[in-house]
Amino acid sequence: MSDKRIKSALISVFYKEGLDEIVRVLGELKIKIYSTGGTFSFIRDMGIPAEPVESLTTYPAILGGRVKTLHPSVFGGILARRENPEDMEQLLKYQIPQIDLVIVDLYPFEETVARIDDEEEIIEKIDIGGISLIRAAAKNYRDVLIVSQSSQYAGLLDLLRARSGVTSLEERRTYAAEAFKTSSNYDTAIFRYFNRKEGIDAFRESINTSYKLRYGENPHQKGKFYGDLGKVFEQVHGKEISYNNLLDIDAALGLIDEFEETTFVVIKHNNACGVASRPDPGEAWKDSLACDPVSAYGGVIVTNVTIGEKEAAEIDKIFFEIIIAPGFSDRALEILMGKKNRIILRRKEKVTDPSYFRSVLNGVLWQDRDTSTEMAGDMKPVTPRVPGENELTDLVFANKIVKHSKSNAIVLAKGRQLCASGIGQTSRVDALRQAIEKARAFGFDLKGAVMASDAFFPFPDCVQIAHDAGIRAVVEPGGSVRDQDSIDYCSANGMAMVFTGVRHFKH
């Protein structure tokens, strides 16, 4: 028989919010309640009949509360198969009552880790009895309903009221699946905490929050995002964020976070097509757009300063999908919200996982996130002519951009403004030629500009082409067996070259 009437319940929860309504309904349905510690006191204070779990175990809670429910009289009543005569005979023999409903809310391990560094207190927040109750009840879902987190209280209330405490097999199986989601997430969090120091070579990741997207990268692909977007930004206005939007937002935030000075960035297909740093936000926007106003169409705009009315009025003149800023003036929002589908995001805290992973073949590729940002002091001159102060500023600026560009990548910059970039090319020479052609197409004079490369030059052809275009300073990681060829050309032609020793491939 798939339908089961709940006759008894075991309740052991950490957070009591919302539990009172459930307890009242259980009382109204004459369901016998067993409970532990603080939960028992909570129920008793409500005036609802309940028995302490000690009435089953005949033992008090021991070891400072570490052991309360770990007893055959508890787990036997949960795990007994009602259709199995031998199981039922053993319950009768040992006077173990059946338990049909288990409600558990685990110790807040993840919240404790996020809040404190005291390992002793963290360890005490590893739930033992609760997690065991969840697994036992979920395993025996054919007979037992398991509620494994407080977020399920509302659903449980509806279930209890709809059929006066009768549940179907399908309902119990659904709750069991949710229970194993809860337990696996909990165990993963504990493992990840311990593995910060131990370094055990195993991949574990668990994210319970998800957003269903309209589709994936293309309309024929399904898509979801797993994570909490609410920690990163507040969506003030606009349509639903898509899969491709999220990729662009990630790229935009990664690049803008490289800059402390007032900066605007325009992103298209995960790459920067406009970047400029200026003391005045309006000038920063104007010069970032000037880099490539064609590609900016339909792009993502991000800045690290509050957007005011003046900037908003200028930005509103072009079509774009998303704008991200730490703040907007009231008038700026009024202007930008004039397009109903335009996505406006107010940036919150910087949230960046120190690791990076993605699925490949039949497994996962994992690596540390590229957090290296080379500043002026990290750039080692390798030519007789060293970069001047302005050139060095531009080299740092260009190197930040090339770090966030798809390889092979070349970035040309001048006066803290992106002139052009060549990205995603199979040849570094092609990337440079693409950048030069693009810069000239938008009227940039490359005389005195600088060049940044995400990886070393295997031959001197790139510095020759750059020199012919007017570029006078170059930053690259170095590391080629033929580095000297490029160094010699730069030295002979009055170009300044610096090495960082850090490659920034991005695929």
Side-chain angles (χ1 to χ4, degrees):
M1 182 177 177
S2 63
D3 283 358
K4 301 281 183 178
R5 180 175 295 281
I6 298 171
K7 298 178 182 179
S8 61
L10 172 62
I11 307 176
S12 180
V13 301
F14 187 84
Y15 291 118
K16 313 299 189 296
E17 290 83 0
L19 183 64
D20 52 347
E21 289 188 71
I22 290 173
V23 171
R24 287 192 186 95
V25 172
L26 294 177
E28 292 168 4
L29 294 173
K30 308 301 182 186
I31 293 171
K32 189 176 186 66
I33 300 174
Y34 299 96
S35 194
T36 63
T39 308
F40 173 73
S41 299
F42 176 84
I43 297 172
R44 182 188 59 193
D45 292 345
M46 289 179 60
I48 305 294
E51 290 191 23
V53 75
E54 289 85 352
S55 68
L56 296 177
T57 66
T58 69
Y59 279 90
I62 61 173
L63 308 182
R66 282 189 166 196
V67 179
K68 293 190 286 284
T69 59
L70 296 171
H71 193 280
S73 292
V74 174
F75 282 85
I78 296 170
L79 285 164
R81 293 158 290 188
R82 280 42 165 183
E83 307 300 322
N84 185 309
E86 291 182 1
D87 284 7
M88 300 313 292
E89 285 175 11
Q90 289 184 25
L91 290 189
L92 186 63
K93 177 180 179 180
Y94 296 108
Q95 298 181 332
I96 299 173
Q98 298 176 33
I99 297 174
D100 309 310
L101 167 65
V102 176
I103 303 175
V104 176
D105 183 51
L106 298 171
Y107 290 166
F109 179 80
E110 288 182 273
E111 293 92 329
T112 304
V113 171
R115 182 172 52 86
I116 63 172
D117 293 321
D118 183 350
E119 180 151 302
E120 186 173 339
E121 185 174 345
I122 289 171
I123 295 302
E124 287 307 311
K125 287 297 184 290
I126 297 177
D127 205 312
I128 303 300
I131 203 77
S132 301
L133 290 171
I134 287 173
R135 292 177 65 85
K139 178 175 180 176
N140 201 26
Y141 71 89
R142 291 185 177 277
D143 299 302
V144 180
L145 178 67
I146 172 63
V147 175
S148 57
Q149 50 192 326
S150 59
S151 62
Q152 296 176 313
Y153 288 176
L156 174 62
L157 270 174
D158 292 341
L159 199 60
L160 292 171
R161 287 168 172 162
R163 301 179 65 197
S164 301
V166 175
T167 64
S168 69
L169 179 63
E170 293 75 16
E171 289 164 342
R172 295 192 299 277
R173 196 179 195 285
T174 297
Y175 274 82
E178 288 287 337
F180 284 119
K181 183 184 80 171
T182 298
S183 65
S184 64
N185 182 74
Y186 199 76
D187 286 339
T188 296
I190 295 168
F191 170 74
R192 283 168 62 87
Y193 170 75
F194 277 94
N195 207 39
R196 292 187 303 184
K197 294 181 180 179
E198 301 304 323
I200 298 169
D201 195 7
F203 180 81
R204 296 287 187 278
E205 189 68 36
S206 180
I207 303 173
N208 282 338
T209 306
S210 67
Y211 297 84
K212 185 177 180 180
L213 306 173
R214 283 175 294 166
Y215 50 80
E217 203 160 7
N218 299 290
H220 64 278
Q221 297 170 271
K222 294 180 181 178
K224 284 187 179 181
F225 172 79
Y226 292 92
D228 188 356
L229 292 174
K231 288 184 177 180
V232 185
F233 53 73
E234 171 196 0
Q235 183 166 355
V236 179
H237 180 73
K239 63 182 180 180
E240 180 183 334
I241 297 173
S242 72
Y243 181 101
N244 291 328
N245 289 157
L246 288 172
L247 290 175
D248 282 335
I249 290 168
D250 183 64
L253 296 182
L255 180 51
I256 197 65
D257 285 347
E258 297 283 358
F259 298 94
E260 293 183 3
E261 61 272 38
T262 298
T263 301
F264 267 83
V265 171
V266 184
I267 293 287
K268 193 70 171 289
H269 293 297
N270 306 165
N271 291 290
C273 60
V275 187
S277 296
R278 299 286 184 268
D280 177 68
E283 291 300 310
W285 161 247
K286 183 188 73 171
D287 289 345
S288 66
L289 178 62
C291 300
D292 184 351
V294 175
S295 295
Y297 182 88
V300 174
I301 301 167
V302 62
T303 184
N304 52 7
V305 296
T306 296
I307 293 179
E309 177 181 357
K310 182 181 72 171
E311 299 85 60
E314 291 300 316
I315 293 168
D316 191 53
K317 293 177 181 178
I318 73 162
F319 169 74
F320 61 91
E321 284 216 39
I322 303 172
I323 187 163
I324 313 166
F328 302 85
S329 73
D330 291 343
R331 178 59 183 143
L333 276 180
E334 186 180 338
I335 293 169
L336 295 171
M337 290 169 66
K339 304 289 192 298
K340 68 174 183 178
N341 288 329
R342 180 179 287 164
I343 297 170
I344 302 174
L345 305 177
R346 183 181 284 114
R347 179 87 184 271
K348 293 185 179 179
E349 59 186 290
K350 294 181 182 180
V351 181
T352 305
D353 194 309
S355 62
Y356 177 89
F357 57 89
R358 59 171 151 177
S359 60
V360 174
L361 301 175
N362 62 342
V364 174
L365 272 177
W366 177 96
Q367 65 175 348
D368 289 326
R369 192 171 292 275
D370 186 356
T371 57
S372 179
T373 299
E374 295 72 52
M375 305 305 288
D378 303 310
M379 296 184 174
K380 175 188 172 186
V382 293
T383 52
R385 188 174 87 75
V386 299
E389 183 178 349
N390 291 337
E391 286 179 322
L392 199 54
T393 297
D394 282 345
L395 288 170
V396 171
F397 177 89
N399 201 53
K400 289 176 179 179
I401 300 170
V402 84
K403 168 186 170 181
H404 292 270
S405 303
K406 298 290 184 181
S407 301
N408 286 308
I410 293 288
V411 164
L412 307 180
K414 184 178 179 181
R416 293 186 302 162
Q417 180 185 23
L418 173 65
C419 297
S421 58
I423 48 178
Q425 299 300 305
T426 53
S427 159
R428 199 158 299 279
V429 170
D430 287 345
L432 174 56
R433 285 178 172 151
Q434 180 191 60
I436 293 171
E437 180 181 349
K438 198 168 190 179
R440 287 171 174 165
F442 291 109
F444 284 97
D445 180 4
L446 294 178
K447 185 176 181 181
V450 305
M451 173 172 70
S453 175
D454 63 338
F456 63 65
F457 297 116
F459 304 101
D461 45 8
C462 279
V463 290
Q464 293 174 14
I465 295 168
H467 176 253
D468 291 342
I471 292 161
R472 292 295 176 263
V474 180
V475 57
E476 58 140 315
S480 168
V481 294
R482 301 187 65 174
D483 275 344
Q484 197 60 46
D485 292 349
S486 294
I487 293 171
D488 288 345
Y489 183 89
C490 289
S491 299
N493 290 276
M495 297 176 71
M497 175 176 274
V498 296
F499 283 2
T500 64
V502 181
R503 189 182 73 183
H504 290 297
F505 268 167
K506 185 174 174 145
H507 296 107

